[in-house]
Amino acid sequence: AQTVTQSQPEMSVQEAETVTLSCTYDTSENNYYLFWYKQPPSRQMILVIRQEAYKQQNATENRFSVNFQKAAKSFSLKISDSQLGDTAMYFCAFMSAGANSKLTFGKGITLSVRP
Amino acid sequence: DVKVTQSSRYLVKRTGEKVFLECVQDMDHENMFWYRQDPGLGLRLIYFSYDVKMKEKGDIPEGYSVSREKKERFSLILESASTNQTSMYLCASSAPGLANYEQYFGPGTRLTVT
């Protein structure tokens, strides 16, 4: 079974600065997908970024980028130029490749952006 | 935009009651999921469904059942609610196939069992 570990329960960052959220996972599979989801306070969970394991290039979505280290089974999220709206819980998640696979989530990290 | 709606944002029930949590999605997605979210535990999968009338157990199915009579609707049932089922319940849906693995989430139902 796959496991996803987010060891930091909380982090805080000053507005406009950069912050990195850590995630490690354990799997014996070679093909899979990794995700970061964001859950703002009292709002719906949304997908932030996705990484395919077969791609060597790190995914980027505007101010959000990942550092995917397949050998180390590490998948960190970097948020550049942090904004107040980035305050949320962030969940790292793993999904095996193949039709109808399930997401396995980490425990989440609460990020607070200070004005 | 994909829309996933849940019947209630907040629900208070008594121990032993039968509880229905409803989820509806409007994107014709084949896959639907029920999770519970607890502090320090993240999201845990209760049940999921890949098609109408199909259901699969997730990681924590005990005490729950589901129903999927129509493609757009996926119901979570607590046959006899207990206090340890007090939690936030999230529904999600996704389209099948290798090209799209994004799950779209509803706003959640915060259930309190007293």
Side-chain angles (χ1 to χ4, degrees):
Chain A
Q2 289 78 21
T3 59
V4 177
T5 302
Q6 295 178 253
S7 56
Q8 308 152 302
E10 295 180 1
M11 287 191 75
S12 179
V13 64
Q14 193 75 32
E15 193 175 9
E17 293 188 347
T18 294
V19 64
T20 298
L21 310 183
S22 301
C23 174
T24 59
Y25 59 94
D26 189 24
T27 184
S28 58
E29 299 178 16
N30 192 48
N31 294 322
Y32 50 87
Y33 297 80
L34 296 163
F35 306 83
W36 279 97
Y37 278 86
K38 171 185 177 182
Q39 186 180 41
S42 301
R43 293 179 62 187
Q44 289 170 244
M45 182 109 63
I46 57 171
L47 178 66
V48 175
I49 199 165
R50 170 176 47 212
Q51 174 79 43
E52 291 86 350
Y54 63 85
K55 290 186 177 178
Q56 292 187 334
Q57 187 173 5
N58 288 324
T60 299
E61 290 285 345
N62 301 314
R63 298 182 295 107
F64 298 87
S65 62
V66 299
N67 183 5
F68 173 48
Q69 302 288 331
K70 191 172 184 179
K73 296 180 182 174
S74 170
F75 182 60
S76 60
L77 175 69
K78 185 172 83 171
I79 306 174
S80 304
D81 186 25
S82 296
Q83 300 176 0
L84 297 179
D86 295 334
T87 292
M89 277 205 77
Y90 288 83
F91 293 93
C92 179
F94 172 100
M95 178 184 284
S96 301
N100 299 331
S101 293
K102 303 177 294 181
L103 273 174
T104 299
F105 285 89
K107 294 182 179 181
I109 178 172
T110 299
L111 176 67
S112 300
V113 180
R114 306 185 304 272
Chain B
D1 282 350
V2 175
K3 194 166 184 181
V4 180
T5 57
Q6 295 183 229
S7 50
S8 306
R9 290 300 302 270
Y10 301 93
L11 207 54
V12 179
K13 294 293 182 180
R14 295 208 178 272
T15 301
E17 278 193 81
K18 190 169 186 176
V19 181
F20 292 87
L21 303 183
E22 305 285 340
C23 175
V24 177
Q25 50 92 6
D26 66 357
M27 281 301 293
D28 202 34
H29 283 170
E30 276 77 4
N31 306 329
M32 296 189 76
F33 308 84
W34 275 107
Y35 297 90
R36 65 176 282 175
Q37 182 180 1
D38 300 288
L41 296 178
L43 275 72
R44 294 179 291 167
L45 182 64
I46 304 171
Y47 266 97
F48 55 105
S49 169
Y50 292 138
D51 203 349
V52 176
K53 297 194 185 295
M54 291 184 66
K55 60 184 179 184
E56 299 269 353
K57 291 181 179 179
D59 300 317
I60 52 165
E62 297 78 19
Y64 304 94
S65 62
V66 290
S67 172
R68 191 154 181 216
E69 295 296 319
K70 293 185 178 181
K71 191 175 186 179
E72 67 271 18
R73 187 180 298 269
F74 192 35
S75 302
L76 180 69
I77 303 158
L78 287 65
E79 295 289 343
S80 178
S82 63
T83 55
N84 63 13
Q85 292 178 310
T86 291
S87 186
M88 170 70 87
Y89 290 88
L90 297 177
C91 175
S93 72
S94 71
L98 297 176
N100 186 343
Y101 280 98
E102 178 175 357
Q103 289 190 14
Y104 296 86
F105 285 82
T109 295
R110 187 167 294 280
L111 173 67
T112 302
V113 182
T114 62

